[in-house]
């Protein structure tokens, strides 16, 4: 059973945490632009203690980052926690997370790319719906952030409308309903075979990737298949793939079909990962993908509504 975090309202406090790469330290102006953008949307922003730090290719030792994350979850004044950016070794936090504390304090938690490991692990352990959506630096810190991305963010975290995203291209048509699992494919693979692996039974698997090719994507999908995942899921959504080219003349779409076959519907091209236009997706929510409606849509509320701050 899913656990809904409490919705944001105007005036809510957003906490920012750097889960791995020291991007705020490397690009402080970009980070500050992201904070300013969130404040301009009417939110109060608090920044976790080690977010601006640098420790090699991390912002801080894993124990310090985990403590930052726990402090934000435990703070009743924090309505949402957004990842500053990414970091390929975000999975180092997994053994340190206090899932009981997180479950007792169901707060919106959002990230994109490498934080996929944290989103899906938290949902797997607690049932808390998490969100694959805009990061502080690379989305809110971008002066050209599309308004559609902001609107999708608000629809998801304020409960203004069911999270919904267009599905205009399909490798295999059909309709499927299931629990949403996914994010960045390479990061998701870091959970396979660990105690933090999501339950793929009847799931809709949404994934995206950047900077690779059809053969490497096929290798990941083959691993999922050999692990039994592709026999369990109800449907697949392939996100917009950034700088992902063919291998020996074989396109990514052909490679996906070669591995997946005709077992489930497959929609393609949804921008939710390494793209400026980014739809916010509720990990752990029940969603339906439908070729007739041409959408991915949550079938139930993903946040619990509250009264406006100060009302």
């Amino acid at each position: 059973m899913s656990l809904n975090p409490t919705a944001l309202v105007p005036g809510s406090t957003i906490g920012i945490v750097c889960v791995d790469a020291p991007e705020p330290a490397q690009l402080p102006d970009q980070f500050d632009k992201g904070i300013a953008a969130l404040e301009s949307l009417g939110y109060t922003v608090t920044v976790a203690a080690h977010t601006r730090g640098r420790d090699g290719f991390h912002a801080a030792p894993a124990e310090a980052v985990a403590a930052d994350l726990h402090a934000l979850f435990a703070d009743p004044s924090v309505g949402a926690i957004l990842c500053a950016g990414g970091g390929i070794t975000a999975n180092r936090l997994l053994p340190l997370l206090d899932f009981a504390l997180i479950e007792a304090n169901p707060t919106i938690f959002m990230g994109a790319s490498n934080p996929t490991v944290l989103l899906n692990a938290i949902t797997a352990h607690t049932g808390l719906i998490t969100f694959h959506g805009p990061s502080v630096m690379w989305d809110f810190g971008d002066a050209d952030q599309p308004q559609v991305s902001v609107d999708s963010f608000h629809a998801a975290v304020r409960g203004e409308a069911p999270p919904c995203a267009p599905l205009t291209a399909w490798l295999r048509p059909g309709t499927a309903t299931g629990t949403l699992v996914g994010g960045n494919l390479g990061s998701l693979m870091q959970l396979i075979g660990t105690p933090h692996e999501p339950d793929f039974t009847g799931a809709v698997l949404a994934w995206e990737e950047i900077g690779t090719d059809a053969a490497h994507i096929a290798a990941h999908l083959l691993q999922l298949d050999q692990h039994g995942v592709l026999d369990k899921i109800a449907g697949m959504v392939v996100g917009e793939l950034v700088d992902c080219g063919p291998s020996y003349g074989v396109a990514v779409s052909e490679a996906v079909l070669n591995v997946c076959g005709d077992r489930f519907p497959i929609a393609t091209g949804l921008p939710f990962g390494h793209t400026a236009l980014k739809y916010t997706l509720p990990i752990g929510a029940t969603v339906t993908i439908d070729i007739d409606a041409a959408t991915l849509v949550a079938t139930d509320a993903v946040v619990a509504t509250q009264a406006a701050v100060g009302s």
Side-chain angles (χ1 to χ4, degrees), residues 246-271:
S247 295
Y248 297 95
V250 178
V252 174
S253 58
E254 184 179 352
V256 171
L257 276 175
N258 284 343
V259 177
C260 296
D262 60 358
R263 284 177 280 188
F264 40 76
I266 306 173
T268 65
L270 174 63

Side-chain angles (χ1 to χ4, degrees), residues 132-156:
H132 194 284
S135 69
V136 177
M137 291 194 62
W138 307 119
D139 296 290
F140 290 108
D142 181 356
D144 297 321
Q145 182 186 29
Q147 184 61 41
V148 172
S149 298
V150 178
D151 293 343
S152 179
F153 166 80
H154 278 149

Side-chain angles (χ1 to χ4, degrees), residues 24-121:
Q26 185 178 21
L27 298 168
D29 291 344
Q30 182 89 357
F31 183 58
D32 288 339
K33 288 177 183 177
I35 292 174
L38 288 167
E39 291 174 338
S40 73
L41 293 173
Y43 299 111
T44 300
V45 174
T46 183
V47 178
H50 299 90
T51 298
R52 295 181 183 270
R54 183 161 192 171
D55 180 42
F57 52 78
H58 310 300
E63 293 78 7
V65 176
D68 282 353
L69 193 54
H70 292 153
L72 290 174
F73 270 105
D75 187 341
S77 71
V78 173
I81 303 166
L82 269 60
C83 293
I88 192 64
T89 54
N91 60 337
R92 71 196 178 114
L93 301 181
L94 294 175
L96 303 174
L97 293 183
D98 185 340
F99 294 108
L101 180 150
I102 293 170
E103 185 174 1
N105 297 274
T107 305
I108 291 168
F109 181 54
M110 181 178 297
S113 187
N114 307 123
T116 289
V117 296
L118 305 177
L119 302 174
N120 287 271

Side-chain angles (χ1 to χ4, degrees), residues 3 5 107-110 118-120 122-123 128-132 281-285:
L3 175 64
T107 305
I108 291 168
F109 181 54
M110 181 178 297
L118 305 177
L119 302 174
N120 287 271
I122 287 172
T123 299
L128 178 66
I129 292 174
T130 58
F131 296 88
H132 194 284
L281 301 184
I283 305 299

